[in-house]
Amino acid sequence: MSTRSRAVLLSAVAAVAALTLSACGKGGTSGGGGNTNFVTGHNGIDTAPEGRREAAPVLSGKTIDGKTLDVASFKGQVVVVNVWGSWCSPCREEAQYFAKVAQQYEGKGVQFVGINTRDTSTTPAVNFEKEHGISYPSLYDPTGKLMLRFKKGTLNPQLIPSTLVIDRQGKVAARALEALDDTALLKMLKPVLAEK
């Protein structure tokens, strides 16, 4: 094998390893500097001030139970979007907290929506939701197309799990790139819910 071939192979292996590590893990880094209009928090939560938020992209399609859902139909409510996969260990850890907070805020101007990604069929996703008591809908996005609709340099979901809070005007207000417990989830949700 030539030196050039070896270098190309090592580069490809390194790229695959980096992608694998970012696919399902704790935390992540994202740039809050420049013209991104958001601030990277020390608690793992990135936020954007009210007047400088980017509109959420179109998030619509089939849910894991075969229904049709368009997140834009929840405009006027605060929407919590959780990107998850049944194969993801941190997703399993946080699921109980999302189920609990979603239940606490039901009928209080908050809508939870999941985006299930990288599951090759809906069967494990449906079983995951039953096992963890998730009662809110989840869009089925096996290839990550919905995640790619977010503009680069915005509060976009970059890891699995990722959580976004979308304000009443349909703009992304906060993002976390790690598994959350109920305390951290409420730290993201409550300030956006308090906005008038």
Side-chain angles (χ1 to χ4, degrees), residues 2-155:
S2 72
T3 303
R4 181 176 156 85
S5 297
R6 204 174 281 129
V8 170
L9 179 63
L10 286 174
S11 294
V13 169
V16 169
L19 184 60
T20 302
L21 288 173
S22 71
C24 184
K26 278 224 166 234
T29 58
S30 59
N35 293 320
T36 57
N37 294 329
F38 63 88
V39 178
T40 301
H42 296 293
N43 56 358
I45 298 171
D46 301 320
T47 58
E50 248 182 289
R52 306 189 84 182
R53 295 175 183 163
E54 293 280 334
V58 173
L59 298 173
S60 62
K62 292 283 184 193
T63 61
I64 62 171
D65 58 359
K67 296 177 182 165
T68 301
L69 175 69
D70 185 349
V71 173
S73 68
F74 300 122
K75 197 168 183 179
Q77 297 184 64
V78 173
V79 180
V80 177
V81 178
N82 179 244
V83 182
W84 62 277
S86 67
W87 45 268
C88 167
S89 178
C91 300
R92 288 191 291 276
E93 290 173 26
E94 74 176 2
Q96 62 181 314
Y97 303 113
F98 278 77
K100 175 183 170 184
V101 175
Q103 205 169 40
Q104 284 175 339
Y105 281 84
E106 192 173 341
K108 296 179 181 175
V110 179
Q111 175 63 51
F112 278 69
V113 174
I115 297 179
N116 169 258
T117 191
R118 299 190 193 160
D119 274 319
T120 55
S121 80
T122 57
T123 304
V126 169
N127 291 339
F128 177 97
E129 287 197 337
K130 283 180 187 169
E131 181 183 335
H132 296 287
I134 304 289
S135 58
Y136 51 84
S138 283
L139 289 162
Y140 182 53
D141 186 30
T143 59
K145 287 180 182 175
L146 293 177
M147 291 174 69
L148 294 175
R149 290 182 181 174
F150 288 84
K151 283 193 273 181
K152 191 174 182 178
T154 65
L155 291 177

